[in-house]
């Protein structure tokens, strides 16, 4: 490995557009929505709307900071400057930890689908193949990552678009040859009302759907390797409202109108498969399995990219081994990618060897990281707005609405969700377990950062690696 020319602007505008759109469509939308519907009934729409609003506000804050200073460290680099070295170090490593655990979860999910199609290859074999292929893709160049993600995300976007159109036609009774006897707007209120399990189920639904929104921030990390970082961040930030409105609220609205919320097939088959099956569409299960597999591969691809770029940024700021900040001649941070993959492989091993102990701990202890990240973004934006206004107000091309009142309201909402999670005590992966274990890991990381600062004892702070530095970025 050689010292290359830093990260390169190898992502085209079409890559960034699709990464931004696809980033909000995780496999969790297809897989996890069924439990949310079973819990809250049609009221799950309010849960998605609440979390969607939260994500829009957080992305607006992140967009404000990232448009002013696009960097692969994104919110970690902003926290570093706004809140202190401890904050950038802590949230950066927690975010890296979150994504390498996701690598193992998604690799296993993809392997299960592939084994169902080709059982001659064992599940662990498929997990290995998937990880190796996507590692190779990321190691070639950022452009190859962008190209893969462009097509993966494109399939997800087209699939949801077709699902919404087909579902809407069925609801209005104009879909030729479909069984539409169960479909209709009456499903929103006919089976125990819009909130069959009471208003409290909306908050329980929030806990079930909040983590399927993680990934919205990937576009701000990727912007540092695009041809026009400021334009890319601005565009992805401004479009997040319609993306969440269409892909999440739109598709879930179609699901709860096609079938009664308490139909047993929703829990047995998954919400989207059950909805398609109810229309008598042939091979609906296999079609949806292909779309879920695409989402899994997209999540894996982006997870590896995101983890490695965060490690690269930490290395550039002196908060990770210096090797992480070195790039090949193609602008690829090889050491950062390989370190992320190795931990991902170890987590996959734990998933097969110790699923109910070590791996369960990893999943639970990374579960609330999404909310911690959003909280840090809010706190950083409160400080960074004043810094940007003082030093370079012309860079405020994206502005948080109703600053600082809406920022404080968002902080209060996130704290409320975390507090409500503590009241959920059912099961090994209960909300309380997730928050407490995630908090334990977070405190451990903060302690390491404080000790590190004391050991450093006033040494010069390394300058953060700037992805937009003109003599470090070369356009492919």
């Amino acid at each position: 490995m050689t010292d290359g020319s830093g990260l390169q602007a190898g992502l085209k505008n079409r890559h960034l557009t699709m990464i931004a759109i696809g980033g909000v469509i995780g496999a969790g939308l297809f897989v996890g929505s069924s439990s949310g519907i079973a819990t809250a009934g049609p009221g799950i729409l309010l849960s998605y709307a609440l979390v969607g609003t939260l994500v829009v506000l957080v992305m607006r804050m992140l967009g404000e900071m990232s448009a002013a200073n696009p960097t692969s460290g994104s919110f970690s680099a902003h926290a570093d400057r706004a809140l202190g070295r401890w904050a950038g170090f802590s949230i950066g490593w927690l975010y890296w930890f979150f994504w390498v655990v996701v690598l193992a979860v998604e690799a296993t999910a993809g392997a299960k689908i592939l084994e169902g199609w080709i059982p001659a290859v064992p599940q662990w074999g498929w997990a290995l193949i998937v990880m190796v292929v996507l590692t190779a893709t990321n190691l070639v160049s950022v452009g190859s990552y962008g190209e893969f993600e462009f097509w993966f995300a494109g399939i997800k976007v087209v699939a949801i678009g077709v699902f919404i159109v087909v579902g809407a036609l069925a609801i209005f009774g104009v879909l030729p040859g479909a069984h539409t006897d169960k479909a209709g707007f009456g499903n929103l209120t006919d089976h125990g009302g819009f909130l069959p399990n009471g208003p409290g189920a909306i908050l329980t639904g929030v806990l079930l759907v909040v983590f399927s929104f993680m990934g919205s921030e990937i576009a701000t990390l990727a912007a540092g390797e695009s041809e026009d970082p400021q334009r890319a961040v601005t565009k992805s930030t401004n479009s997040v409202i319609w993306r969440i409105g269409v892909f999440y609220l739109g598709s879930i609205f179609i699901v709860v109108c096609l079938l009664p919320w308490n139909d047993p097939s929703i829990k047995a088959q998954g919400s989207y498969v059950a909805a398609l099956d109810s229309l008598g569409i042939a091979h609906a299960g296999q079609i949806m399995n292909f779309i879920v597999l695409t989402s899994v591969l997209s999540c894996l691809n982006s997870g590896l990219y995101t983890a490695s770029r965060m490690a690269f940024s930490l290395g550039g700021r002196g908060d990770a081994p210096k090797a992480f900040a070195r790039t090949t001649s193609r602008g690829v941070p090889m050491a950062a990618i390989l370190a992320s993959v190795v931990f991902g492989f170890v987590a996959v091993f734990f998933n097969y060897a110790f699923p109910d102990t070590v791996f369960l701990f990893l999943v639970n202890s990374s579960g609330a990281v999404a909310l911690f990240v959003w909280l840090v973004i809010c706190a950083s934006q409160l400080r960074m707005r004043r810094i940007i206004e003082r030093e370079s107000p012309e860079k405020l091309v994206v502005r948080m609405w109703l600053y600082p009142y809406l920022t404080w309201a968002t902080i209060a909402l996130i704290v409320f969700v975390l507090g409500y999670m503590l009241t959920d005590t059912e099961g090994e992966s209960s909300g309380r377990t997730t928050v407490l274990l995630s908090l334990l890991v977070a405190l451990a990381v903060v302690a390491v950062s404080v000790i590190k600062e004391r050991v450093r004892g006033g040494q010069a702070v390394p300058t953060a690696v700037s992805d937009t530095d003109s003599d470090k970025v070369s356009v492919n």
Side-chain angles (χ1 to χ4, degrees):
M1 185 175 65
T2 60
D3 280 328
S5 55
L7 296 181
Q8 297 180 358
L11 292 176
K12 298 180 173 64
N13 285 333
R14 66 181 177 88
H15 293 155
L16 256 294
T17 300
M18 203 54 83
I19 288 168
I21 294 171
V24 296
I25 311 170
L29 174 63
F30 299 109
V31 179
S33 54
S34 55
S35 56
I37 293 170
T39 299
I44 195 66
L45 287 166
L46 297 180
S47 303
Y48 274 103
L50 192 61
V51 180
T53 302
L54 190 60
V55 172
V56 167
L57 294 173
V58 170
M59 280 298 295
R60 188 76 187 179
M61 294 178 227
L62 183 55
E64 177 182 292
M65 296 184 289
S66 295
N69 180 30
T71 168
S72 65
S74 190
F75 51 84
S76 172
H78 305 322
D80 202 312
R81 189 174 180 204
L83 306 176
R85 295 296 303 279
W86 69 270
F89 175 97
S90 304
I91 207 64
W93 277 113
L94 282 172
Y95 191 68
W96 179 86
F97 173 60
F98 171 86
W99 279 110
V100 292
V101 173
V102 165
L103 290 181
V105 173
E106 299 293 341
T108 305
K112 283 180 181 175
I113 295 172
L114 289 165
E115 188 191 29
W117 291 343
I118 308 175
V121 179
Q123 200 178 109
W124 65 265
W126 279 121
L128 186 66
I129 291 168
V130 165
M131 290 276 280
V132 168
V133 169
L134 292 179
T135 300
T137 302
N138 274 265
L139 284 173
V140 172
S141 70
V142 67
S144 62
Y145 155 73
E147 201 61 38
F148 262 71
E149 193 54 27
F150 176 80
W151 292 104
F152 285 154
I155 290 170
K156 289 191 290 187
V157 169
V158 169
I160 291 188
V162 170
F163 176 81
I164 290 172
V165 170
V166 168
L169 291 174
I171 292 165
F172 287 107
V174 292
L175 185 67
H179 306 176
T180 57
D181 50 307
K182 289 185 177 180
F185 294 113
N187 285 327
L188 294 172
T189 55
D190 287 351
H191 306 277
F194 185 68
L195 295 171
N197 296 324
I202 297 171
L203 289 174
T204 308
V206 164
L207 307 187
L208 294 170
V209 305
V210 67
F211 304 110
S212 64
F213 281 85
M214 194 66 167
S216 311
E217 68 294 325
I218 291 174
T220 64
L221 279 92
E225 294 176 83
S226 69
E227 295 160 345
D228 187 348
Q230 191 177 72
R231 179 174 174 271
V233 169
T234 305
K235 192 175 178 183
S236 68
T237 302
N238 290 337
S239 65
V240 73
I241 297 175
W242 72 260
R243 286 186 276 134
I244 287 173
V246 171
F247 297 124
Y248 277 83
L249 289 174
S251 64
I252 293 295
F253 177 77
I254 294 295
V255 169
V256 294
C257 286
L258 287 176
L259 274 174
W261 69 272
N262 54 0
D263 192 299
S265 63
I266 290 180
K267 200 104 184 220
Q269 298 173 274
S271 49
Y272 289 79
V273 174
L276 288 175
D277 264 346
S278 72
L279 300 177
I281 294 175
H283 310 296
Q286 291 306 319
I287 294 168
M288 193 48 69
N289 268 340
F290 173 73
I291 295 165
V292 171
L293 179 64
T294 304
S295 294
V296 164
L297 294 177
S298 169
C299 194
L300 264 170
N301 197 36
S302 288
L304 183 51
Y305 171 84
T306 307
S308 64
R309 272 22 177 214
M310 186 57 76
F312 169 85
S313 177
L314 288 166
R317 287 179 273 142
D319 289 334
K322 289 181 181 177
F324 286 6
R326 298 195 190 109
T327 59
T328 65
S329 57
R330 290 175 175 268
V332 173
M334 185 183 288
I337 290 173
L338 292 177
S340 303
V341 170
V342 166
F343 195 96
F345 275 128
V346 170
V348 169
F349 168 75
F350 285 148
N351 195 4
Y352 289 107
F354 313 105
D356 299 323
T357 51
V358 180
F359 189 71
L360 187 65
F361 170 80
L362 289 177
V363 171
N364 284 338
S365 60
S366 65
V369 167
L371 292 167
F372 295 165
V373 166
W374 295 347
L375 208 50
V376 167
I377 289 171
C378 294
S380 300
Q381 191 265 339
L382 282 173
R383 297 285 300 276
M384 279 298 289
R385 165 66 79 91
R386 294 198 292 272
I387 294 171
I388 298 168
E389 283 178 335
R390 185 174 66 246
E391 296 181 358
S392 45
E394 73 282 357
K395 289 186 176 181
L396 275 173
V397 292
V398 176
R399 287 176 178 265
M400 176 58 185
W401 308 296
L402 298 176
Y403 169 84
Y405 308 108
L406 210 44
T407 303
W408 279 112
T410 308
I411 290 172
L413 183 56
I414 295 170
V415 170
F416 174 76
V417 171
L418 283 167
Y420 189 78
M421 286 178 74
L422 291 172
T423 67
D424 174 29
T425 57
E426 292 182 19
E428 291 179 313
S429 297
S430 67
R432 177 178 292 181
T433 303
T434 298
V435 170
L436 293 178
L437 285 179
S438 297
L439 202 55
L440 181 67
V441 171
L443 289 173
V445 175
V446 170
V448 170
S449 86
V450 170
I451 293 167
K452 188 172 183 293
E453 283 302 295
R454 288 189 176 178
V455 169
R456 198 192 306 252
Q459 293 176 15
V461 176
T463 305
V465 176
S466 172
D467 310 321
T468 52
D469 193 328
S470 59
D471 48 349
K472 282 194 173 185
V473 174
S474 58
V475 179
N476 286 354

